[in-house]
Amino acid sequence: MVRSLPRDESAVSGWILFVALVVAVAVVLGAYYVYFTPKAGPTPVVAQQGDSIHIDYIGTFLESDLVFDTSNASVARDNASYPKASSFSWRATWTHLTFTIGDGSVIKGFDQGVRDLTAGQATTIVVPASLGYGNADPSKIFVHKLLESVPVRVTMNETAFIAYYKTPPVTGAQATDPVYGWPVTVDVLNGIVTVTNSPVPRQTVHPYGAWTATVLGIDDTANNGTGAVWIQNRLDPGQVDLVGGTAPNGQQFYLSTVDLNAETYTLNFNRQVVGRTLEFQITVVQVNRLT
């Protein structure tokens, strides 16, 4: 005779509850994944040839860390944290730099430096002169003595006088030297103009309106009668790249070196970015694929 084993209803119920609990947990986890887990966004565009790129940048000279250009208005206004080179210029609007990679609109080092970057990425690019604005023209670089001699008397033709002093020469008239600011007297004979510089010893002058110098003395008989005005230029290495100005012929220059051992200073009439190693701190704002 076969006896039936009694059915354990409590065990069956427990199993059903366990299965139901597993299913419920699975549903909750699935819902959480679907609705709450962050989804991967679209793959960012990696900057390449032909892409349009928008960037913010701060350009400095590697040697002096002075800012020569920026796209950022707050950097342009902040001279304490971001001291400016003499060539830095204010502009009406400050906005991102936008260009197409490879179109030749920016220097090579800049164009190459932004490749393989994506939006939001920040980096620093160091650009040598060969990939920047090229080598400096040595004929535009002039070395002077800190203790400098200027002739008392200078002769020139009338055309040269007008170009330098911006006024016609008249015998007995006075003019102002455009570099040193001291008075000069004028004498004209047979189309030749003789200018006599007339500073005062110990007078403080400001060459090109850019730095301070002192007239140490005047020797009317020096240099076979042309005379000499001795000027001590008050310059030091800390003024390099900060001092700049415009010559009477309209050409701009900057102070590129001060050598206290050699007692010399150098005025460079190349653009300040020419022949220099440049450093750019850049942040990519946007990259668009055009093709």
Side-chain angles (χ1 to χ4, degrees):
M1 178 178 175
V2 179
R3 290 180 60 186
S4 299
L5 295 175
R7 184 176 181 180
D8 188 346
E9 296 293 341
S10 63
V12 173
S13 298
W15 174 251
I16 293 172
L17 288 173
F18 175 75
V19 172
L21 180 60
V22 170
V23 172
V25 170
V27 170
V28 171
L29 290 176
Y32 180 85
Y33 178 80
V34 171
Y35 293 102
F36 297 102
T37 302
K39 304 300 185 296
T43 302
V45 178
V46 178
Q48 297 294 341
Q49 176 88 6
D51 292 343
S52 173
I53 190 167
H54 308 251
I55 64 167
D56 276 328
Y57 67 93
I58 305 170
T60 59
F61 295 121
L62 190 64
E63 305 94 332
S64 61
D65 288 332
L66 295 175
V67 176
F68 63 85
D69 193 17
T70 184
S71 63
N72 193 318
S74 63
V75 172
R77 296 188 185 98
D78 186 354
N79 291 321
S81 302
Y82 300 96
K84 308 302 189 296
S86 63
S87 61
F88 183 88
S89 60
W90 190 264
R91 50 181 181 258
T93 58
W94 304 90
T95 186
H96 311 309
L97 172 65
T98 300
F99 64 96
T100 299
I101 298 174
D103 69 354
S105 62
V106 297
I107 56 177
K108 290 182 179 179
F110 206 101
D111 188 285
Q112 294 174 5
V114 302
R115 296 173 187 243
D116 298 325
L117 300 180
T118 59
Q121 196 168 354
T123 191
T124 298
I125 302 172
V126 177
V127 180
S130 59
L131 296 177
Y133 293 91
N135 296 323
D137 180 352
S139 69
K140 296 181 178 180
I141 300 173
F142 301 90
V143 179
H144 302 267
K145 288 289 187 181
L146 288 171
L147 178 57
E148 200 165 8
S149 173
V150 176
V152 172
R153 285 169 287 278
V154 182
T155 58
M156 62 191 75
N157 60 37
E158 294 187 8
T159 300
F161 181 93
I162 294 171
Y164 189 78
Y165 291 96
K166 312 303 182 192
T167 186
V170 177
T171 295
Q174 278 203 339
T176 299
D177 185 273
V179 172
Y180 298 101
W182 56 48
V184 303
T185 56
V186 182
D187 184 66
V188 185
L189 180 63
N190 298 326
I192 300 299
V193 183
T194 300
V195 175
T196 302
N197 290 303
S198 305
V200 177
R202 299 297 172 183
Q203 177 182 354
T204 297
V205 293
H206 301 280
Y208 303 96
W211 67 88
T212 300
T214 303
V215 177
L216 296 184
I218 304 170
D219 184 348
D220 279 317
T221 62
N223 301 320
N224 297 318
T226 61
V229 178
W230 293 100
I231 302 166
Q232 181 66 58
N233 292 284
R234 309 297 181 182
L235 292 168
D236 63 70
Q239 294 168 279
V240 168
D241 276 333
L242 289 171
V243 170
T246 304
N249 61 5
Q251 294 181 341
Q252 294 185 327
F253 65 85
Y254 70 96
L255 180 70
S256 58
T257 64
V258 176
D259 188 334
L260 296 181
N261 291 324
E263 298 184 343
T264 61
Y265 70 96
T266 304
L267 298 185
N268 193 325
F269 284 80
N270 290 279
R271 287 179 60 199
Q272 200 168 12
V273 292
V274 172
R276 308 293 295 272
T277 299
L278 311 175
E279 184 173 273
F280 294 93
Q281 300 173 41
I282 69 170
T283 300
V284 179
V285 177
Q286 186 177 343
V287 180
N288 295 323
R289 182 126 299 152
L290 300 180
T291 56

